[in-house]
Amino acid sequence: MSQYNVTKNRDVSLPTYAIGDIQGCREQLEHLLETINFDPSEDRLWLAGDLINRGPDSLGTLRLLHGIRERLNIVLGNHDLHMLAAAQFPEFASSKDTFTDILASDDREVLLQWLTQQPLLQETDGYIMTYAGILPQWSLEQARGLANEAETAYQAESAADYYRAMYGNLPERWDPSLMGVDRLRFITNVFTRMRFCETDGALKMHYKATIAEAPAGLLPWYENDGIDWQGKTLLIGHWAALQSRHPREDLICLDTGCVWGNKLSAYCLETQGWYQVDGFQQ
């Protein structure tokens, strides 16, 4: 990582930067790391999922991140899990996917094994990070346990069973008595795909229009009642349309649409400062 300027002139000696939705935009990631003077001997990165896919260089992005893996805290997003599924079931891949370079690479198994070991929830004293959010009906303790359930499934020797059943929008409602693939699919959808819920917490995965155009009774998940993150701030990616980045005081949205030509952003946990570079241009 010698290409990064490690000269420091900061009040924060060991900064932590949170970045969302790199999506295979390696050049933009390198530019952002230069902008924050990232020092792999001191600094940490929190990466809120969708490291790869849709952008032009998924392989280069994953290799760069693997090279600094000791300085990373990662949660997986839906595109990351999709690639892991396609690695086992090629028929799951889409013509829009841009991760075939990873699946064809000589270091494929090293990279995939490393990615598989990443969780769905990360936590520190003041912050939690998941890719899409936390179901409003779940306590933080529940969220920790349910994330671990899904992680155990996709890290097991029987992970093919998880990936085979991962896709789908049902069930819509959480029930503690859910079992098997339905339970794992719901948990995965919450952590990696959720945007809108009905007022009773039912996930509406098919709805992707704007918040302003949402029909009555359908709300952004974070506007539902019952949220209690025990005084912590939640970091998410996934929803580039949330350009305000702070839809509530304890929620920070990191996805600023890099792959769509907008920005790639880093948020410093210690200073609450933002750093941005221009996104990928087609």
Side-chain angles (χ1 to χ4, degrees), residues 18-20 32 245 254 256 263-267 274-277:
I19 302 172
L32 184 58
R245 305 195 199 102
L254 301 168
T256 48
K263 301 289 184 180
L264 185 65
S265 303
Y267 174 80
W274 284 94
Y275 304 82
Q276 291 188 321
V277 298

Side-chain angles (χ1 to χ4, degrees), residues 39-150:
D39 182 347
S41 70
E42 292 187 348
D43 304 346
R44 292 204 68 82
L45 299 179
W46 279 42
L47 304 180
D50 276 12
L51 310 178
I52 51 89
N53 209 16
R54 296 291 190 261
D57 191 1
S58 289
L59 177 59
T61 299
L62 208 55
R63 282 174 170 167
L64 187 160
L65 295 175
H66 185 263
I68 56 171
R69 59 192 179 277
E70 299 301 325
R71 309 307 302 164
L72 305 181
N73 288 65
I74 293 171
V75 293
L76 297 183
N78 57 303
H79 282 283
D80 307 313
L81 287 172
H82 172 56
M83 184 188 67
L84 293 171
Q88 298 203 32
F89 300 100
E91 64 272 23
F92 290 173
S94 163
S95 60
K96 296 180 180 180
D97 292 333
T98 64
F99 51 64
T100 53
D101 53 354
I102 296 175
L103 300 184
S105 67
D106 292 340
D107 48 352
R108 159 192 165 125
E109 294 308 319
V110 171
L111 296 173
L112 294 183
Q113 178 61 23
W114 171 67
L115 198 62
T116 301
Q117 297 308 307
Q118 307 311 313
L120 296 177
L121 185 149
Q122 294 272 11
E123 192 172 1
T124 187
D125 289 344
Y127 290 92
I128 320 157
M129 181 172 67
T130 73
Y131 181 59
I134 296 175
L135 193 72
Q137 286 73 24
W138 291 348
S139 68
L140 183 53
E141 183 178 4
Q142 282 179 293
R144 294 181 187 117
L146 295 169
N148 184 255
E149 282 188 39

Side-chain angles (χ1 to χ4, degrees), residues 22 24-34 56-57 61 64 264 277-278 280:
I22 300 164
C25 296
R26 177 190 54 80
E27 289 187 9
Q28 288 70 29
L29 175 59
E30 289 183 336
H31 187 192
L32 184 58
L33 295 182
E34 291 168 358
D57 191 1
T61 299
L64 187 160
L264 185 65
V277 298
D278 289 337
F280 172 64

Side-chain angles (χ1 to χ4, degrees), residues 219-251:
L219 299 171
W221 67 267
Y222 53 79
E223 292 185 5
N224 277 260
D225 295 334
I227 289 174
D228 181 7
W229 299 323
Q230 299 178 1
K232 299 191 177 191
T233 296
L234 179 63
L235 305 166
I236 64 167
H238 185 49
W239 206 345
L242 298 178
Q243 290 299 313
S244 69
R245 305 195 199 102
H246 292 280
R248 47 183 291 154
E249 290 185 357
D250 54 358
L251 178 65

